[in-house]
Amino acid sequence: MSLSVYDITVPVMVHGLNVMDDYLDHAQALERARRFEPGRILGERLASDMLTFGEQFSVSCNKVDAHMAKLMQRDAPAPHNTLMMYSA
């Protein structure tokens, strides 16, 4: 059986994005349970020298974009610095 680079990388990236989606679901549930304003947890840090929770998600998504572009032999897109927000 032959494996391609796609077979090795894309499922791992999809799994990682699904895990991040689960983290967001848990954060949203915690906000509801503790009656925090929506999106508060996205601005939190575990340590003062860390990126915020939302910024870490943004960096991760930018890395997936860059890796996929490289896999498709295209120029990497400019990193997005999109403000993360919860949708109801």
Side-chain angles (χ1 to χ4, degrees):
M1 180 177 138
S2 174
L3 287 176
S4 69
V5 174
Y6 179 95
D7 293 331
I8 295 168
T9 58
V10 172
V12 174
M13 287 188 269
V14 169
H15 174 74
L17 291 170
N18 286 328
V19 169
M20 289 176 14
D21 186 48
D22 287 343
Y23 290 162
L24 289 173
D25 289 342
H26 287 288
Q28 194 172 29
L30 179 64
E31 287 177 341
R32 279 193 219 111
R34 301 263 171 103
R35 297 186 182 171
F36 294 156
E37 69 270 8
R40 174 180 168 184
I41 291 178
L42 290 173
E44 298 294 329
R45 304 168 195 265
L46 288 175
S48 61
D49 62 344
M50 290 179 68
L51 296 173
T52 66
F53 189 51
E55 290 168 332
Q56 290 182 40
F57 275 86
S58 183
V59 167
S60 298
C61 291
N62 286 331
K63 286 186 179 282
V64 170
D65 279 349
H67 291 305
M68 291 303 298
K70 191 170 190 172
L71 184 61
M72 294 183 295
Q73 299 179 342
R74 296 187 180 157
D75 292 334
H80 303 126
N81 192 7
T82 306
L83 177 63
M84 292 193 59
M85 298 173 23
Y86 286 120
S87 59

PDB file of all heavy atoms in Angstrom, residues 22-45 52-54 57 84-88:
ATOM      1  N   ASP A  22     -13.880  21.094  19.518  1.00  0.00           N
ATOM      2  CA  ASP A  22     -14.354  20.574  20.807  1.00  0.00           C
ATOM      3  C   ASP A  22     -13.953  21.500  21.954  1.00  0.00           C
ATOM      4  O   ASP A  22     -14.739  21.739  22.874  1.00  0.00           O
ATOM      5  CB  ASP A  22     -13.801  19.169  21.070  1.00  0.00           C
ATOM      6  CG  ASP A  22     -14.449  18.107  20.212  1.00  0.00           C
ATOM      7  OD1 ASP A  22     -15.535  18.363  19.637  1.00  0.00           O
ATOM      8  OD2 ASP A  22     -13.865  17.009  20.114  1.00  0.00           O
ATOM      9  N   TYR A  23     -12.707  22.025  21.911  1.00  0.00           N
ATOM     10  CA  TYR A  23     -12.267  22.962  22.948  1.00  0.00           C
ATOM     11  C   TYR A  23     -13.182  24.189  22.986  1.00  0.00           C
ATOM     12  O   TYR A  23     -13.538  24.665  24.066  1.00  0.00           O
ATOM     13  CB  TYR A  23     -10.837  23.430  22.701  1.00  0.00           C
ATOM     14  CG  TYR A  23      -9.755  22.399  22.915  1.00  0.00           C
ATOM     15  CD1 TYR A  23      -8.491  22.589  22.370  1.00  0.00           C
ATOM     16  CD2 TYR A  23      -9.963  21.239  23.657  1.00  0.00           C
ATOM     17  CE1 TYR A  23      -7.480  21.667  22.556  1.00  0.00           C
ATOM     18  CE2 TYR A  23      -8.960  20.313  23.842  1.00  0.00           C
ATOM     19  CZ  TYR A  23      -7.712  20.538  23.289  1.00  0.00           C
ATOM     20  OH  TYR A  23      -6.711  19.628  23.472  1.00  0.00           O
ATOM     21  N   LEU A  24     -13.539  24.683  21.817  1.00  0.00           N
ATOM     22  CA  LEU A  24     -14.429  25.850  21.772  1.00  0.00           C
ATOM     23  C   LEU A  24     -15.806  25.521  22.337  1.00  0.00           C
ATOM     24  O   LEU A  24     -16.400  26.338  23.050  1.00  0.00           O
ATOM     25  CB  LEU A  24     -14.560  26.373  20.340  1.00  0.00           C
ATOM     26  CG  LEU A  24     -13.318  27.050  19.779  1.00  0.00           C
ATOM     27  CD1 LEU A  24     -13.508  27.360  18.297  1.00  0.00           C
ATOM     28  CD2 LEU A  24     -12.992  28.317  20.546  1.00  0.00           C
ATOM     29  N   ASP A  25     -16.309  24.323  22.033  1.00  0.00           N
ATOM     30  CA  ASP A  25     -17.602  23.905  22.597  1.00  0.00           C
ATOM     31  C   ASP A  25     -17.537  23.848  24.117  1.00  0.00           C
ATOM     32  O   ASP A  25     -18.459  24.304  24.812  1.00  0.00           O
ATOM     33  CB  ASP A  25     -18.026  22.542  22.051  1.00  0.00           C
ATOM     34  CG  ASP A  25     -18.432  22.585  20.587  1.00  0.00           C
ATOM     35  OD1 ASP A  25     -18.724  23.685  20.067  1.00  0.00           O
ATOM     36  OD2 ASP A  25     -18.455  21.504  19.959  1.00  0.00           O
ATOM     37  N   HIS A  26     -16.442  23.308  24.656  1.00  0.00           N
ATOM     38  CA  HIS A  26     -16.284  23.222  26.115  1.00  0.00           C
ATOM     39  C   HIS A  26     -16.156  24.621  26.729  1.00  0.00           C
ATOM     40  O   HIS A  26     -16.731  24.880  27.796  1.00  0.00           O
ATOM     41  CB  HIS A  26     -15.075  22.366  26.484  1.00  0.00           C
ATOM     42  CG  HIS A  26     -15.273  20.909  26.259  1.00  0.00           C
ATOM     43  ND1 HIS A  26     -16.085  20.126  27.043  1.00  0.00           N
ATOM     44  CD2 HIS A  26     -14.781  20.081  25.307  1.00  0.00           C
ATOM     45  CE1 HIS A  26     -16.084  18.880  26.601  1.00  0.00           C
ATOM     46  NE2 HIS A  26     -15.296  18.826  25.541  1.00  0.00           N
ATOM     47  N   ALA A  27     -15.426  25.501  26.078  1.00  0.00           N
ATOM     48  CA  ALA A  27     -15.280  26.873  26.582  1.00  0.00           C
ATOM     49  C   ALA A  27     -16.623  27.587  26.598  1.00  0.00           C
ATOM     50  O   ALA A  27     -16.966  28.282  27.562  1.00  0.00           O
ATOM     51  CB  ALA A  27     -14.274  27.640  25.728  1.00  0.00           C
ATOM     52  N   GLN A  28     -17.400  27.391  25.540  1.00  0.00           N
ATOM     53  CA  GLN A  28     -18.712  28.015  25.461  1.00  0.00           C
ATOM     54  C   GLN A  28     -19.632  27.472  26.559  1.00  0.00           C
ATOM     55  O   GLN A  28     -20.367  28.233  27.203  1.00  0.00           O
ATOM     56  CB  GLN A  28     -19.306  27.775  24.079  1.00  0.00           C
ATOM     57  CG  GLN A  28     -20.490  28.642  23.763  1.00  0.00           C
ATOM     58  CD  GLN A  28     -20.925  28.491  22.316  1.00  0.00           C
ATOM     59  OE1 GLN A  28     -20.741  27.442  21.701  1.00  0.00           O
ATOM     60  NE2 GLN A  28     -21.488  29.545  21.769  1.00  0.00           N
ATOM     61  N   ALA A  29     -19.589  26.176  26.807  1.00  0.00           N
ATOM     62  CA  ALA A  29     -20.404  25.580  27.872  1.00  0.00           C
ATOM     63  C   ALA A  29     -19.978  26.114  29.242  1.00  0.00           C
ATOM     64  O   ALA A  29     -20.830  26.391  30.093  1.00  0.00           O
ATOM     65  CB  ALA A  29     -20.289  24.061  27.826  1.00  0.00           C
ATOM     66  N   LEU A  30     -18.673  26.284  29.445  1.00  0.00           N
ATOM     67  CA  LEU A  30     -18.176  26.832  30.712  1.00  0.00           C
ATOM     68  C   LEU A  30     -18.655  28.266  30.895  1.00  0.00           C
ATOM     69  O   LEU A  30     -19.070  28.658  31.991  1.00  0.00           O
ATOM     70  CB  LEU A  30     -16.650  26.769  30.747  1.00  0.00           C
ATOM     71  CG  LEU A  30     -15.988  27.324  32.000  1.00  0.00           C
ATOM     72  CD1 LEU A  30     -16.390  26.502  33.238  1.00  0.00           C
ATOM     73  CD2 LEU A  30     -14.478  27.336  31.834  1.00  0.00           C
ATOM     74  N   GLU A  31     -18.624  29.045  29.824  1.00  0.00           N
ATOM     75  CA  GLU A  31     -19.118  30.425  29.915  1.00  0.00           C
ATOM     76  C   GLU A  31     -20.594  30.467  30.293  1.00  0.00           C
ATOM     77  O   GLU A  31     -20.998  31.275  31.123  1.00  0.00           O
ATOM     78  CB  GLU A  31     -18.902  31.153  28.583  1.00  0.00           C
ATOM     79  CG  GLU A  31     -17.467  31.514  28.320  1.00  0.00           C
ATOM     80  CD  GLU A  31     -17.240  32.155  26.979  1.00  0.00           C
ATOM     81  OE1 GLU A  31     -18.093  32.027  26.075  1.00  0.00           O
ATOM     82  OE2 GLU A  31     -16.190  32.795  26.823  1.00  0.00           O
ATOM     83  N   ARG A  32     -21.363  29.578  29.697  1.00  0.00           N
ATOM     84  CA  ARG A  32     -22.798  29.541  30.044  1.00  0.00           C
ATOM     85  C   ARG A  32     -22.994  29.123  31.500  1.00  0.00           C
ATOM     86  O   ARG A  32     -23.797  29.722  32.220  1.00  0.00           O
ATOM     87  CB  ARG A  32     -23.534  28.563  29.127  1.00  0.00           C
ATOM     88  CG  ARG A  32     -23.876  29.152  27.795  1.00  0.00           C
ATOM     89  CD  ARG A  32     -24.888  28.266  27.056  1.00  0.00           C
ATOM     90  NE  ARG A  32     -24.537  28.257  25.657  1.00  0.00           N
ATOM     91  CZ  ARG A  32     -24.056  27.225  24.974  1.00  0.00           C
ATOM     92  NH1 ARG A  32     -23.909  26.065  25.550  1.00  0.00           N
ATOM     93  NH2 ARG A  32     -23.740  27.329  23.719  1.00  0.00           N
ATOM     94  N   ALA A  33     -22.262  28.100  31.926  1.00  0.00           N
ATOM     95  CA  ALA A  33     -22.415  27.584  33.294  1.00  0.00           C
ATOM     96  C   ALA A  33     -21.998  28.622  34.333  1.00  0.00           C
ATOM     97  O   ALA A  33     -22.627  28.732  35.387  1.00  0.00           O
ATOM     98  CB  ALA A  33     -21.602  26.311  33.470  1.00  0.00           C
ATOM     99  N   ARG A  34     -20.942  29.377  34.062  1.00  0.00           N
ATOM    100  CA  ARG A  34     -20.440  30.370  35.005  1.00  0.00           C
ATOM    101  C   ARG A  34     -21.034  31.762  34.770  1.00  0.00           C
ATOM    102  O   ARG A  34     -20.658  32.722  35.439  1.00  0.00           O
ATOM    103  CB  ARG A  34     -18.916  30.458  34.906  1.00  0.00           C
ATOM    104  CG  ARG A  34     -18.198  29.161  35.198  1.00  0.00           C
ATOM    105  CD  ARG A  34     -17.730  29.116  36.631  1.00  0.00           C
ATOM    106  NE  ARG A  34     -17.217  27.803  36.980  1.00  0.00           N
ATOM    107  CZ  ARG A  34     -15.940  27.490  37.075  1.00  0.00           C
ATOM    108  NH1 ARG A  34     -15.018  28.390  36.829  1.00  0.00           N
ATOM    109  NH2 ARG A  34     -15.586  26.273  37.431  1.00  0.00           N
ATOM    110  N   ARG A  35     -21.898  31.854  33.770  1.00  0.00           N
ATOM    111  CA  ARG A  35     -22.563  33.117  33.413  1.00  0.00           C
ATOM    112  C   ARG A  35     -21.567  34.221  33.055  1.00  0.00           C
ATOM    113  O   ARG A  35     -21.736  35.380  33.430  1.00  0.00           O
ATOM    114  CB  ARG A  35     -23.505  33.556  34.523  1.00  0.00           C
ATOM    115  CG  ARG A  35     -24.601  32.548  34.726  1.00  0.00           C
ATOM    116  CD  ARG A  35     -25.621  33.002  35.696  1.00  0.00           C
ATOM    117  NE  ARG A  35     -26.603  31.918  35.846  1.00  0.00           N
ATOM    118  CZ  ARG A  35     -27.532  31.908  36.739  1.00  0.00           C
ATOM    119  NH1 ARG A  35     -27.663  32.919  37.569  1.00  0.00           N
ATOM    120  NH2 ARG A  35     -28.374  30.902  36.826  1.00  0.00           N
ATOM    121  N   PHE A  36     -20.522  33.830  32.325  1.00  0.00           N
ATOM    122  CA  PHE A  36     -19.571  34.805  31.778  1.00  0.00           C
ATOM    123  C   PHE A  36     -20.170  35.383  30.512  1.00  0.00           C
ATOM    124  O   PHE A  36     -21.010  34.755  29.875  1.00  0.00           O
ATOM    125  CB  PHE A  36     -18.243  34.146  31.411  1.00  0.00           C
ATOM    126  CG  PHE A  36     -17.446  33.598  32.562  1.00  0.00           C
ATOM    127  CD1 PHE A  36     -16.528  32.595  32.343  1.00  0.00           C
ATOM    128  CD2 PHE A  36     -17.593  34.080  33.849  1.00  0.00           C
ATOM    129  CE1 PHE A  36     -15.771  32.085  33.381  1.00  0.00           C
ATOM    130  CE2 PHE A  36     -16.842  33.574  34.897  1.00  0.00           C
ATOM    131  CZ  PHE A  36     -15.929  32.573  34.654  1.00  0.00           C
ATOM    132  N   GLU A  37     -19.705  36.565  30.116  1.00  0.00           N
ATOM    133  CA  GLU A  37     -20.150  37.111  28.837  1.00  0.00           C
ATOM    134  C   GLU A  37     -19.584  36.242  27.716  1.00  0.00           C
ATOM    135  O   GLU A  37     -18.475  35.719  27.831  1.00  0.00           O
ATOM    136  CB  GLU A  37     -19.758  38.575  28.667  1.00  0.00           C
ATOM    137  CG  GLU A  37     -18.290  38.835  28.500  1.00  0.00           C
ATOM    138  CD  GLU A  37     -17.533  39.057  29.810  1.00  0.00           C
ATOM    139  OE1 GLU A  37     -18.086  38.869  30.891  1.00  0.00           O
ATOM    140  OE2 GLU A  37     -16.357  39.405  29.710  1.00  0.00           O
ATOM    141  N   PRO A  38     -20.346  36.048  26.636  1.00  0.00           N
ATOM    142  CA  PRO A  38     -19.884  35.207  25.526  1.00  0.00           C
ATOM    143  C   PRO A  38     -18.555  35.710  24.961  1.00  0.00           C
ATOM    144  O   PRO A  38     -18.377  36.900  24.732  1.00  0.00           O
ATOM    145  CB  PRO A  38     -21.001  35.313  24.489  1.00  0.00           C
ATOM    146  CG  PRO A  38     -22.210  35.678  25.276  1.00  0.00           C
ATOM    147  CD  PRO A  38     -21.706  36.540  26.404  1.00  0.00           C
ATOM    148  N   GLY A  39     -17.632  34.808  24.780  1.00  0.00           N
ATOM    149  CA  GLY A  39     -16.330  35.125  24.208  1.00  0.00           C
ATOM    150  C   GLY A  39     -15.266  35.505  25.216  1.00  0.00           C
ATOM    151  O   GLY A  39     -14.114  35.722  24.850  1.00  0.00           O
ATOM    152  N   ARG A  40     -15.619  35.597  26.479  1.00  0.00           N
ATOM    153  CA  ARG A  40     -14.641  36.007  27.501  1.00  0.00           C
ATOM    154  C   ARG A  40     -13.442  35.071  27.529  1.00  0.00           C
ATOM    155  O   ARG A  40     -12.303  35.520  27.625  1.00  0.00           O
ATOM    156  CB  ARG A  40     -15.299  36.049  28.874  1.00  0.00           C
ATOM    157  CG  ARG A  40     -14.312  36.312  29.985  1.00  0.00           C
ATOM    158  CD  ARG A  40     -14.974  36.359  31.338  1.00  0.00           C
ATOM    159  NE  ARG A  40     -13.959  36.320  32.385  1.00  0.00           N
ATOM    160  CZ  ARG A  40     -14.245  36.264  33.657  1.00  0.00           C
ATOM    161  NH1 ARG A  40     -15.504  36.254  34.059  1.00  0.00           N
ATOM    162  NH2 ARG A  40     -13.290  36.208  34.550  1.00  0.00           N
ATOM    163  N   ILE A  41     -13.690  33.789  27.450  1.00  0.00           N
ATOM    164  CA  ILE A  41     -12.604  32.810  27.557  1.00  0.00           C
ATOM    165  C   ILE A  41     -11.627  32.944  26.389  1.00  0.00           C
ATOM    166  O   ILE A  41     -10.433  32.680  26.536  1.00  0.00           O
ATOM    167  CB  ILE A  41     -13.157  31.384  27.692  1.00  0.00           C
ATOM    168  CG1 ILE A  41     -13.837  31.250  29.068  1.00  0.00           C
ATOM    169  CG2 ILE A  41     -12.074  30.332  27.528  1.00  0.00           C
ATOM    170  CD1 ILE A  41     -14.478  29.926  29.336  1.00  0.00           C
ATOM    171  N   LEU A  42     -12.102  33.407  25.234  1.00  0.00           N
ATOM    172  CA  LEU A  42     -11.204  33.584  24.090  1.00  0.00           C
ATOM    173  C   LEU A  42     -10.116  34.613  24.372  1.00  0.00           C
ATOM    174  O   LEU A  42      -9.044  34.565  23.778  1.00  0.00           O
ATOM    175  CB  LEU A  42     -11.996  34.003  22.853  1.00  0.00           C
ATOM    176  CG  LEU A  42     -12.904  32.940  22.254  1.00  0.00           C
ATOM    177  CD1 LEU A  42     -13.758  33.542  21.141  1.00  0.00           C
ATOM    178  CD2 LEU A  42     -12.089  31.778  21.734  1.00  0.00           C
ATOM    179  N   GLY A  43     -10.363  35.520  25.284  1.00  0.00           N
ATOM    180  CA  GLY A  43      -9.383  36.546  25.624  1.00  0.00           C
ATOM    181  C   GLY A  43      -8.503  36.198  26.803  1.00  0.00           C
ATOM    182  O   GLY A  43      -7.648  36.997  27.202  1.00  0.00           O
ATOM    183  N   GLU A  44      -8.690  35.018  27.369  1.00  0.00           N
ATOM    184  CA  GLU A  44      -7.928  34.613  28.550  1.00  0.00           C
ATOM    185  C   GLU A  44      -6.608  33.946  28.172  1.00  0.00           C
ATOM    186  O   GLU A  44      -6.457  33.390  27.101  1.00  0.00           O
ATOM    187  CB  GLU A  44      -8.754  33.645  29.401  1.00  0.00           C
ATOM    188  CG  GLU A  44     -10.034  34.244  29.947  1.00  0.00           C
ATOM    189  CD  GLU A  44      -9.803  35.365  30.943  1.00  0.00           C
ATOM    190  OE1 GLU A  44      -8.788  35.331  31.667  1.00  0.00           O
ATOM    191  OE2 GLU A  44     -10.644  36.276  30.995  1.00  0.00           O
ATOM    192  N   ARG A  45      -5.655  33.996  29.113  1.00  0.00           N
ATOM    193  CA  ARG A  45      -4.339  33.358  28.963  1.00  0.00           C
ATOM    194  C   ARG A  45      -4.110  32.441  30.159  1.00  0.00           C
ATOM    195  O   ARG A  45      -4.553  32.740  31.255  1.00  0.00           O
ATOM    196  CB  ARG A  45      -3.222  34.398  28.968  1.00  0.00           C
ATOM    197  CG  ARG A  45      -3.350  35.467  27.938  1.00  0.00           C
ATOM    198  CD  ARG A  45      -2.348  36.595  28.225  1.00  0.00           C
ATOM    199  NE  ARG A  45      -2.689  37.779  27.473  1.00  0.00           N
ATOM    200  CZ  ARG A  45      -2.177  38.092  26.298  1.00  0.00           C
ATOM    201  NH1 ARG A  45      -1.280  37.320  25.754  1.00  0.00           N
ATOM    202  NH2 ARG A  45      -2.558  39.176  25.678  1.00  0.00           N
ATOM    203  N   THR A  52      -3.444  34.718  23.868  1.00  0.00           N
ATOM    204  CA  THR A  52      -4.779  34.413  24.387  1.00  0.00           C
ATOM    205  C   THR A  52      -5.285  33.126  23.742  1.00  0.00           C
ATOM    206  O   THR A  52      -4.764  32.671  22.713  1.00  0.00           O
ATOM    207  CB  THR A  52      -5.772  35.546  24.073  1.00  0.00           C
ATOM    208  OG1 THR A  52      -5.959  35.615  22.661  1.00  0.00           O
ATOM    209  CG2 THR A  52      -5.310  36.872  24.638  1.00  0.00           C
ATOM    210  N   PHE A  53      -6.304  32.567  24.329  1.00  0.00           N
ATOM    211  CA  PHE A  53      -6.928  31.348  23.799  1.00  0.00           C
ATOM    212  C   PHE A  53      -7.344  31.561  22.343  1.00  0.00           C
ATOM    213  O   PHE A  53      -7.053  30.746  21.477  1.00  0.00           O
ATOM    214  CB  PHE A  53      -8.131  31.019  24.687  1.00  0.00           C
ATOM    215  CG  PHE A  53      -8.782  29.694  24.441  1.00  0.00           C
ATOM    216  CD1 PHE A  53      -8.052  28.528  24.394  1.00  0.00           C
ATOM    217  CD2 PHE A  53     -10.155  29.620  24.292  1.00  0.00           C
ATOM    218  CE1 PHE A  53      -8.676  27.303  24.193  1.00  0.00           C
ATOM    219  CE2 PHE A  53     -10.793  28.408  24.094  1.00  0.00           C
ATOM    220  CZ  PHE A  53     -10.041  27.241  24.046  1.00  0.00           C
ATOM    221  N   GLY A  54      -7.977  32.677  22.056  1.00  0.00           N
ATOM    222  CA  GLY A  54      -8.415  32.985  20.693  1.00  0.00           C
ATOM    223  C   GLY A  54      -7.244  33.170  19.739  1.00  0.00           C
ATOM    224  O   GLY A  54      -7.293  32.731  18.587  1.00  0.00           O
ATOM    225  N   PHE A  57      -5.842  29.861  18.651  1.00  0.00           N
ATOM    226  CA  PHE A  57      -6.658  29.254  17.600  1.00  0.00           C
ATOM    227  C   PHE A  57      -6.338  29.884  16.250  1.00  0.00           C
ATOM    228  O   PHE A  57      -6.225  29.202  15.243  1.00  0.00           O
ATOM    229  CB  PHE A  57      -8.152  29.388  17.914  1.00  0.00           C
ATOM    230  CG  PHE A  57      -8.647  28.299  18.794  1.00  0.00           C
ATOM    231  CD1 PHE A  57      -8.540  28.400  20.166  1.00  0.00           C
ATOM    232  CD2 PHE A  57      -9.196  27.161  18.254  1.00  0.00           C
ATOM    233  CE1 PHE A  57      -8.978  27.388  20.986  1.00  0.00           C
ATOM    234  CE2 PHE A  57      -9.637  26.134  19.068  1.00  0.00           C
ATOM    235  CZ  PHE A  57      -9.530  26.243  20.436  1.00  0.00           C
ATOM    236  N   MET A  84     -11.868  36.242  16.876  1.00  0.00           N
ATOM    237  CA  MET A  84     -12.732  35.061  17.061  1.00  0.00           C
ATOM    238  C   MET A  84     -13.934  35.455  17.886  1.00  0.00           C
ATOM    239  O   MET A  84     -13.824  36.169  18.875  1.00  0.00           O
ATOM    240  CB  MET A  84     -11.957  33.954  17.759  1.00  0.00           C
ATOM    241  CG  MET A  84     -10.857  33.385  16.896  1.00  0.00           C
ATOM    242  SD  MET A  84     -10.201  31.870  17.569  1.00  0.00           S
ATOM    243  CE  MET A  84     -11.618  30.840  17.644  1.00  0.00           C
ATOM    244  N   MET A  85     -15.091  34.977  17.445  1.00  0.00           N
ATOM    245  CA  MET A  85     -16.335  35.243  18.158  1.00  0.00           C
ATOM    246  C   MET A  85     -17.162  33.978  18.158  1.00  0.00           C
ATOM    247  O   MET A  85     -17.086  33.175  17.225  1.00  0.00           O
ATOM    248  CB  MET A  85     -17.129  36.362  17.471  1.00  0.00           C
ATOM    249  CG  MET A  85     -16.410  37.667  17.441  1.00  0.00           C
ATOM    250  SD  MET A  85     -17.183  38.989  16.476  1.00  0.00           S
ATOM    251  CE  MET A  85     -18.868  38.582  16.396  1.00  0.00           C
ATOM    252  N   TYR A  86     -17.936  33.792  19.195  1.00  0.00           N
ATOM    253  CA  TYR A  86     -18.860  32.668  19.241  1.00  0.00           C
ATOM    254  C   TYR A  86     -20.110  33.031  18.473  1.00  0.00           C
ATOM    255  O   TYR A  86     -20.555  34.169  18.494  1.00  0.00           O
ATOM    256  CB  TYR A  86     -19.285  32.341  20.675  1.00  0.00           C
ATOM    257  CG  TYR A  86     -18.228  31.665  21.492  1.00  0.00           C
ATOM    258  CD1 TYR A  86     -17.751  32.242  22.656  1.00  0.00           C
ATOM    259  CD2 TYR A  86     -17.711  30.433  21.113  1.00  0.00           C
ATOM    260  CE1 TYR A  86     -16.799  31.618  23.432  1.00  0.00           C
ATOM    261  CE2 TYR A  86     -16.749  29.813  21.876  1.00  0.00           C
ATOM    262  CZ  TYR A  86     -16.304  30.408  23.029  1.00  0.00           C
ATOM    263  OH  TYR A  86     -15.361  29.776  23.774  1.00  0.00           O
ATOM    264  N   SER A  87     -20.678  32.052  17.808  1.00  0.00           N
ATOM    265  CA  SER A  87     -21.987  32.275  17.191  1.00  0.00           C
ATOM    266  C   SER A  87     -23.010  31.466  17.975  1.00  0.00           C
ATOM    267  O   SER A  87     -22.724  30.378  18.456  1.00  0.00           O
ATOM    268  CB  SER A  87     -21.975  31.843  15.729  1.00  0.00           C
ATOM    269  OG  SER A  87     -21.646  30.487  15.615  1.00  0.00           O
ATOM    270  N   ALA A  88     -24.166  32.020  18.125  1.00  0.00           N
ATOM    271  CA  ALA A  88     -25.212  31.357  18.934  1.00  0.00           C
ATOM    272  C   ALA A  88     -25.848  30.234  18.168  1.00  0.00           C
ATOM    273  O   ALA A  88     -25.821  30.092  17.017  1.00  0.00           O
ATOM    274  CB  ALA A  88     -26.263  32.362  19.334  1.00  0.00           C
TER     275      ALA A  88
END
